[in-house]
Amino acid sequence: MDADKKQIWMNGQLIEVTEEVYAAYQKGDRKMRYFEKDLKTERFLLDENGQLLQVIPSREDSLDRLMADNAEQFADQHESVEDQVFRRISMEQLYEALQRLTNTEQNLIYALFFEEQTESQVGEILGITQQAVHRQKTRLLKKLKNFLEK
């Protein structure tokens, strides 16, 4: 084989190729290395004495690094005025609907949703089964939904 002939390693063997194929292969190989390594690796610029001049960060970031740096994907996380108004109106409507329930019903909702007790825990306190608590909760949620839809 002549020294000026180009070869590429493919499928475990050297294959003789033309200059054009070799150039295209080299270009593609360089592009793969760029995407696989260069984008993901930060680089360091050093002066002639070996002192660090600058750190060039990688162009591709990982979620782990962003989370470690407490980086936020969306800088403005403030609630819009419209969302604030809608939430306030919804809360007022919910408060009014809760006031329309009996004290026993209010206590059940409070235990389940505000104290975050399980249905089983509430059942033990009231001396009833978890299934009975679940049925009461479902009935109360439907009742509240009807109040809110009016």
Side-chain angles (χ1 to χ4, degrees), residues 26-42:
Q26 289 298 324
K27 186 176 179 181
D29 185 54
R30 176 65 191 119
K31 190 178 278 191
M32 286 299 294
R33 281 183 291 155
Y34 173 76
F35 284 120
E36 290 174 352
K37 184 175 186 301
D38 295 349
L39 280 178
K40 299 176 183 184
T41 307
E42 62 185 26

Side-chain angles (χ1 to χ4, degrees), residues 22-78:
Y22 183 79
Y25 177 81
Q26 289 298 324
K27 186 176 179 181
D29 185 54
R30 176 65 191 119
K31 190 178 278 191
M32 286 299 294
R33 281 183 291 155
Y34 173 76
F35 284 120
E36 290 174 352
K37 184 175 186 301
D38 295 349
L39 280 178
K40 299 176 183 184
T41 307
E42 62 185 26
R43 294 177 288 144
F44 305 98
L45 291 181
L46 305 175
D47 64 10
E48 56 275 349
N49 298 327
Q51 299 296 320
L52 181 65
L53 288 176
Q54 182 181 6
V55 176
I56 302 172
S58 68
R59 293 185 180 167
E60 183 177 283
D61 237 330
S62 70
L63 179 60
D64 293 336
R65 195 197 69 73
L66 289 172
M67 296 299 286
D69 291 348
N70 290 324
E72 295 180 12
Q73 183 175 5
F74 303 105
D76 185 16
Q77 298 216 352
H78 298 296

